[in-house]
Amino acid sequence: MHQTVVINIIVLLLSIIIIGVRAHQESGEWSCESDESEIRVVAEFNPGVVTIDGHADDWEDIEASEFPLLPALDPHSDHAYKHGQLTLKALHDGRDVFFLLQVDGNYVYSQGDNNKCPSVALMFQIGENATYHNMGGCKESPGSCTNKTCKGHEVDIMHFSIGSAIPGRLYGANHIDNRDGNGGDRFGHLVDVYSWTPHCRYLDGMGPSGNDSSAQNDWKGAWWHSSFNVQSGFVEDDSPYGSDGSEGTYYFEFSRPLRTADRLQQTVQLLTVTSLAATKFVFASNYIPRTDENEPRLDAQLTIGGLSKLSAAFWYPVDGTPWHGSGHYTINCDWVPLDIPASGRALTKSSPGGSTGSAFALLFSVVALCLSVFVMYRMVSPKAIAFTPMENL
């Protein structure tokens, strides 16, 4: 059993490396025109709103950011994704951060073949020198990239390929893969990865020398398509779950802790992080076990009240052709700022008449409480018997 698990991990690592080698094979000089002041994703404080089940109903009142999907290697509008834009929503509850990715697209699904199904990824900057382009931008070759030679170029990646994932079910973090100390997901391929370059990409907990930490997969996620005629309860025998070619929208829903404890175990100097990346944040409900501060991070540490940098990618089997690593679309040709305020407008949003209804409910509760106290008082108070003189009888 243990040998089989090791073989599966090796096969997964090889597939990641192969995809990475095929990715970002550019035909010409890279160019990007991006204005960070015009684009931003805001994850406002809005606790208790979202359930990770692939459905978007509970995101209805959350502010959306819309992005055209352009080819990652040729980010020009002439080659944009033909079905429309990607809608990205985010929020946090003080402990976890939540994301919804929404993309229009005709339904396609091929059980067990990830490259014939849509796929999504989120990427975050960790190292201060990590660039969006080339997934960290380290110049080292695949044989020489290490946490020392590529220090400062770390990026954090969540990648969800749905070929073995049942709609509406939760994938990602699970006790079996986390027990093995890596960011894999043998059930649904929602993996937690770090990278220095497309050619040097590893599951959290793995590295050039093998398993080098007791890391874990910190992500949870689910997917759905609007053309499904049921709301829940799919099993694997229901595959392909919907009618091929049906018009509709794909929904990908994710969450992870704002702060994680994943680190490499090699002793190197911790990179200095700018204000746009991770900084320490102490939050009572988000306790992290003590770790060696000299160990580099595998995950982006998201800070309430601060800014981080992210990107989102989308793969789609256009005209039924399986996608490949370099054939993905992205929301921008550079990092997109992610703002995580301590509070925000989303917390105060409500449906029309919501404030009046809340005030009436509060008044009703107060009146009910007063009546309850009065009744209890009448029940327990001693009943006085009036004195009647004998001559009045």
Side-chain angles (χ1 to χ4, degrees):
M1 177 64 180
H2 180 70
Q3 185 178 8
T4 303
V5 172
V6 172
I7 292 174
N8 289 337
I9 292 175
I10 292 174
V11 170
L12 179 59
L13 286 173
L14 289 176
S15 67
I16 290 175
I17 292 173
I18 290 172
I19 292 174
V21 170
R22 295 179 62 188
H24 295 260
Q25 296 176 344
E26 296 158 8
S27 57
E29 183 178 354
W30 169 257
S31 63
C32 171
E33 296 181 3
S34 175
D35 186 359
E36 285 192 7
S37 64
E38 298 296 326
I39 54 176
R40 176 168 301 205
V41 175
V42 180
E44 298 191 12
F45 178 67
N46 206 335
V49 172
V50 170
T51 300
I52 303 298
D53 55 9
H55 297 284
D57 299 348
D58 41 10
W59 290 87
E60 183 177 356
D61 294 329
I62 306 303
E63 182 179 352
S65 300
E66 295 184 344
F67 301 92
L69 283 168
L70 304 179
L73 304 186
D74 184 21
H76 296 96
S77 58
D78 294 342
H79 306 289
Y81 175 67
K82 64 181 181 180
H83 293 292
Q85 297 182 319
L86 182 146
T87 299
L88 178 58
K89 296 184 178 184
L91 62 86
H92 76 92
D93 64 2
R95 181 187 185 278
D96 295 328
V97 61
F98 300 81
F99 297 94
L100 175 70
L101 281 68
Q102 176 179 325
V103 188
D104 290 339
N106 295 341
Y107 184 68
V108 289
Y109 188 83
S110 181
Q111 177 70 31
D113 192 341
N114 287 325
N115 298 73
K116 290 185 178 181
C117 304
S119 180
V120 294
L122 291 171
M123 182 171 71
F124 302 83
Q125 184 190 51
I126 301 177
E128 61 180 352
N129 300 319
T131 60
Y132 156 82
H133 182 53
N134 276 335
M135 295 169 60
C138 181
K139 303 300 183 182
E140 297 291 328
S141 64
S144 61
C145 55
T146 68
N147 65 313
K148 293 183 180 180
T149 59
C150 290
K151 184 176 70 172
H153 290 276
E154 299 85 357
V155 295
D156 180 18
I157 302 170
M158 181 283 304
H159 188 197
F160 189 23
S161 297
I162 66 173
S164 57
I166 299 172
R169 291 199 183 180
L170 201 61
Y171 292 97
N174 65 82
H175 293 298
I176 297 177
D177 289 301
N178 285 347
R179 179 192 61 194
D180 293 338
N182 64 73
D185 175 15
R186 68 191 69 189
F187 303 105
H189 198 79
L190 196 167
V191 295
D192 196 349
V193 182
Y194 71 99
S195 169
W196 297 297
T197 167
H199 318 295
C200 299
R201 181 167 37 160
Y202 302 94
L203 292 172
D204 282 13
M206 307 296 288
S209 59
N211 194 327
D212 50 26
S213 85
S214 57
Q216 62 181 12
N217 190 336
D218 294 291
W219 286 92
K220 296 179 181 179
W223 73 278
W224 197 259
H225 192 267
S226 62
S227 68
F228 295 154
N229 55 16
V230 299
Q231 292 302 309
S232 63
F234 281 126
V235 296
E236 188 173 355
D237 290 341
D238 294 326
S239 178
Y241 312 112
S243 299
D244 189 62
S246 297
E247 294 184 356
T249 302
Y250 281 96
Y251 300 100
F252 303 91
E253 200 172 14
F254 305 103
S255 71
R256 56 149 279 188
L258 290 164
R259 303 279 292 174
T260 74
D262 285 4
R263 294 176 183 268
L264 290 169
Q265 288 187 343
Q266 292 91 337
T267 302
V268 297
Q269 184 178 359
L270 182 66
L271 56 92
T272 302
V273 185
T274 67
S275 60
L276 287 176
T279 56
K280 287 188 177 180
F281 177 77
V282 179
F283 195 77
S285 64
N286 193 22
Y287 171 73
I288 302 172
R290 182 180 297 276
T291 54
D292 186 351
E293 289 296 325
N294 289 325
E295 295 171 357
R297 291 281 187 183
L298 299 179
D299 292 329
Q301 303 303 300
L302 307 178
T303 306
I304 295 177
L307 285 175
S308 297
K309 293 183 177 181
L310 67 74
S311 183
F314 178 66
W315 289 258
Y316 187 83
V318 178
D319 298 325
T321 303
W323 54 260
H324 54 87
S326 63
H328 60 289
Y329 301 91
T330 60
I331 60 174
N332 192 39
C333 61
D334 203 347
W335 293 116
V336 174
L338 171 64
D339 186 7
I340 308 178
S343 61
R345 294 183 303 275
L347 185 63
T348 62
K349 284 186 178 180
S350 60
S351 58
S355 299
T356 303
S358 299
F360 177 79
L362 177 61
L363 177 61
F364 181 81
S365 299
V366 172
V367 172
L369 177 62
C370 293
L371 287 174
S372 299
V373 172
F374 176 76
V375 171
M376 289 297 296
Y377 171 77
R378 294 290 296 176
M379 290 178 63
V380 302
S381 62
K383 295 180 174 57
I385 300 176
F387 173 74
T388 304
M390 292 294 294
E391 59 269 19
N392 293 336
L393 292 179

